[in-house]
Amino acid sequence: ETAKALRTTLGVDDGGICVCVLGGTSFQNGTTEALTRAIASKLPAALGERAVFVTGGMQGVQKAFAEGYVGEGSRLRHLLPEGQSSGFDAGEDLHAGRNLDERKIIFGELGDIYLTFEGGPGVAAEARAAFSRGAAVIPLIRTGGASQGMFDFPIGAMERPAVASEEQWELLKKEDGTVKECADAVVELAKKVAHARRAATLAETAKALRTTLGVDDGGICVCVLGGTSFQNGTTEALTRAIASKLPAALGERAVFVTGGMQGVQKAFAEGYVGEGSRLRHLLPEGESSGFDAGEDLHAGRNLDER
């Protein structure tokens, strides 16, 4: 419950992505620090403004990530037990748990994606907790330690995920590969994982909207797609003609949804002949279609999510 509340505080409880960083408090591998910094410099821009990055405010890997981080400061947080401070210049401290053991439990419940670098039994335990509840764990295998499968690191996390290409996964293992190659592979893999998780969240939103529209138990939802201007001389008339006939033909269990945009969708709304509540316009939060017919419906923080 504490982790759930923290996700709300971080703004990632409705489609955002929380990336947690795990790693040793000192470096055992000569390239790990540079690799950590390289990933920290690239990943924030790659994942976008809905991603938040969380460390445990500890020395070694987590400090290096904070120092290498390039992005908005409020999107980098350091989760510490109550009353403690990271002392890091970048990011902001966040507190949960009365001691380190409690903080570790919360940390393992918090993220969507966990990046692991080197590490011992503690890193392996936090990775196990995260992986067991379905979080994505991306191990920097080449760095060794827990991230190479030691200390009862979750076996499943050592297997190439479906979203990763063989080449990307090999770069996570390749000890003689360049830091840039490995960092780029991690960034691309994290992007794929984040996209898949956001898509799953938005799919749940769509499922809830079907309930709102009353079509989740045998009804029909007809969505209208088209350009925001007309390139063909007959398209507008055709759109209006279909809009005037289809509602009666499909019956009262059919609902019609546009995206509230100009061109085809506006013409459909203007030509629509049917019960007004069966015509909806799906828009990002806070936006309005301005259409006279039908009712606006909101989902998604921006056009891409909508």
Side-chain angles (χ1 to χ4, degrees):
E1 288 300 315
T2 300
K4 185 177 179 180
L6 284 175
R7 287 184 61 85
T8 301
T9 298
L10 294 171
V12 296
D13 57 336
D14 61 347
I17 294 291
C18 179
V19 180
C20 292
V21 180
L22 287 169
T25 55
S26 62
F27 296 105
Q28 309 302 315
N29 183 303
T31 64
T32 302
E33 183 172 4
L35 182 57
T36 304
R37 292 175 182 270
I39 292 170
S41 71
K42 298 178 179 184
L43 198 53
L47 294 190
E49 63 182 14
R50 295 298 311 281
V52 174
F53 301 83
V54 183
T55 83
M58 303 183 79
Q59 297 298 304
V61 165
Q62 294 179 334
K63 183 177 181 180
F65 189 93
E67 291 176 344
Y69 176 85
V70 176
E72 186 181 348
S74 63
R75 289 171 52 208
L76 175 63
R77 300 295 186 92
H78 312 298
L79 185 65
L80 298 130
E82 296 166 9
Q84 294 189 18
S85 171
S86 68
F88 295 172
D89 292 330
E92 304 173 7
D93 288 353
L94 185 68
H95 296 93
R98 291 172 294 180
N99 51 50
L100 185 58
D101 287 340
E102 287 190 359
R103 194 279 291 164
K104 285 183 176 181
I105 293 171
I106 295 165
F107 196 78
E109 296 286 333
L110 183 62
D112 300 290
I113 300 173
Y114 288 76
L115 303 179
T116 75
F117 304 78
E118 300 188 8
V123 167
E126 289 183 86
R128 281 198 307 275
F131 190 76
S132 68
R133 65 174 178 80
V137 176
I138 301 177
L140 277 296
I141 300 168
R142 60 177 273 170
T143 62
S147 297
Q148 202 172 46
M150 297 176 66
F151 309 111
D152 200 21
F153 194 84
I155 295 174
M158 301 302 296
E159 300 173 355
R160 179 173 65 89
V163 296
S165 69
E166 290 186 9
E167 181 182 6
Q168 286 171 336
W169 198 245
E170 283 303 311
L171 286 170
L172 270 61
K173 299 178 183 179
K174 191 176 178 182
E175 294 183 20
D176 59 351
T178 69
V179 165
K180 182 181 184 304
E181 286 176 332
C182 185
D184 288 347
V186 170
V187 169
E188 288 305 309
L189 177 53
K191 281 171 62 177
K192 290 180 180 180
V193 172
H195 177 77
R197 288 185 169 263
R198 283 173 175 150
T201 299
L202 295 175
E204 288 299 315
T205 300
K207 185 176 179 180
L209 285 175
R210 286 183 61 84
T211 300
T212 299
L213 294 170
V215 296
D216 58 336
D217 60 347
I220 294 293
C221 179
V222 179
C223 293
V224 180
L225 292 170
T228 55
S229 62
F230 296 104
Q231 309 303 313
N232 183 301
T234 64
T235 302
E236 183 172 3
L238 181 58
T239 303
R240 291 174 182 271
I242 292 170
S244 71
K245 297 177 179 182
L246 198 55
L250 295 189
E252 62 182 14
R253 293 299 312 280
V255 174
F256 301 83
V257 182
T258 82
M261 302 184 79
Q262 298 298 304
V264 166
Q265 293 178 334
K266 183 177 182 181
F268 190 93
E270 291 175 344
Y272 176 84
V273 176
E275 186 181 348
S277 63
R278 290 170 53 208
L279 174 63
R280 300 294 186 92
H281 313 298
L282 184 64
L283 299 129
E285 296 168 8
E287 295 190 16
S288 171
S289 68
F291 294 173
D292 293 330
E295 302 173 7
D296 288 353
L297 184 68
H298 295 93
R301 295 194 178 194
N302 51 49
L303 186 58
D304 287 340
E305 288 191 359
R306 191 281 292 168

